[in-house]
Amino acid sequence: MFLIQRTSFLFCLFSLAVFTWTTSTFAVEEQLEPGALTPPPPIELDEDIGDFNIMYSSLSSLISNAFSSISRNNNTVRVSGDTYTTRTVDELRLTLDIQRWDGSKWNTIGSRGPFIDYNWYFTSASQSYTVTKGYYYRARTVHYIRSGRSTEQVTRYSRHILVPL
């Protein structure tokens, strides 16, 4: 009798595990956008998002604006950044990163820079990357300014985009 109860209990436990796995698998599959290999990243992980794939923000005493953008053409993704200062500064540095969503976190898969300008008030750069289809991508740009002994640095992120299969 004990063996029958134990076997029934194990069967019920196994059935529950299979049902849970099956329904969770279907739930993940339902979340996939057409052409995507992973579910989209949660919107709260798109830090500092602006409209139209561009980040805009009034920042500080040296950096007046910093932009981060991303666009695609088939499986080529273009990452761009712009930095504006409140006055002419000694040095501007701009680094461009491309990040790919793996389903749980953002991974930097390419980096370019720093692009450097001296004795100026603006810098801009862009870089194109050939990427793997089926994933979400975003731009991360690091904006660094030096004026005399004062320095400022901000990081900006674009919205994510899908490069469909």
Side-chain angles (χ1 to χ4, degrees):
M1 178 85 160
F2 177 74
L3 183 59
I4 292 173
Q5 286 177 336
R6 184 173 176 201
T7 304
S8 296
F9 174 75
L10 289 175
F11 177 76
C12 288
L13 195 59
F14 174 77
S15 298
L16 180 62
V18 168
F19 174 77
T20 303
W21 177 80
T22 303
T23 56
S24 66
T25 301
F26 288 133
V28 168
E29 289 173 358
E30 288 172 12
Q31 293 176 354
L32 295 181
E33 291 182 46
L37 296 173
T38 68
I43 195 71
E44 61 270 12
L45 291 183
D46 275 346
E47 301 171 24
D48 299 322
I49 298 174
D51 290 333
F52 310 109
N53 290 332
I54 297 174
M55 174 53 221
Y56 168 84
S57 175
S58 179
L59 299 172
S60 62
S61 62
L62 291 177
I63 300 174
S64 62
N65 293 305
F67 296 85
S68 185
S69 65
I70 190 167
S71 61
R72 73 172 178 85
N73 182 7
N74 201 7
N75 68 322
T76 300
V77 171
R78 185 174 188 83
V79 172
S80 302
D82 300 300
T83 309
Y84 294 90
T85 62
T86 57
R87 62 182 181 271
T88 299
V89 295
D90 296 326
E91 181 179 8
L92 298 103
R93 290 177 179 252
L94 177 59
T95 303
L96 307 173
D97 296 335
I98 184 169
Q99 296 184 319
R100 179 171 59 210
W101 179 250
D102 70 6
S104 63
K105 67 183 182 313
W106 287 105
N107 298 295
T108 300
I109 60 167
S111 187
R112 176 75 185 183
F115 298 92
I116 304 172
D117 281 308
Y118 298 100
N119 300 315
W120 202 238
Y121 63 93
F122 166 78
T123 192
S124 179
S126 63
Q127 178 67 40
S128 293
Y129 298 91
T130 301
V131 296
T132 304
K133 292 181 176 185
Y135 291 96
Y136 295 90
Y137 296 90
R138 73 176 182 183
R140 178 180 65 189
T141 54
V142 180
H143 309 259
Y144 170 86
I145 307 299
R146 182 180 57 80
S147 182
R149 289 194 225 171
S150 298
T151 62
E152 292 180 6
Q153 179 174 306
V154 296
T155 302
R156 292 288 173 248
Y157 299 85
S158 70
R159 290 181 182 248
H160 64 267
I161 61 170
L162 172 63
V163 179
L165 292 170

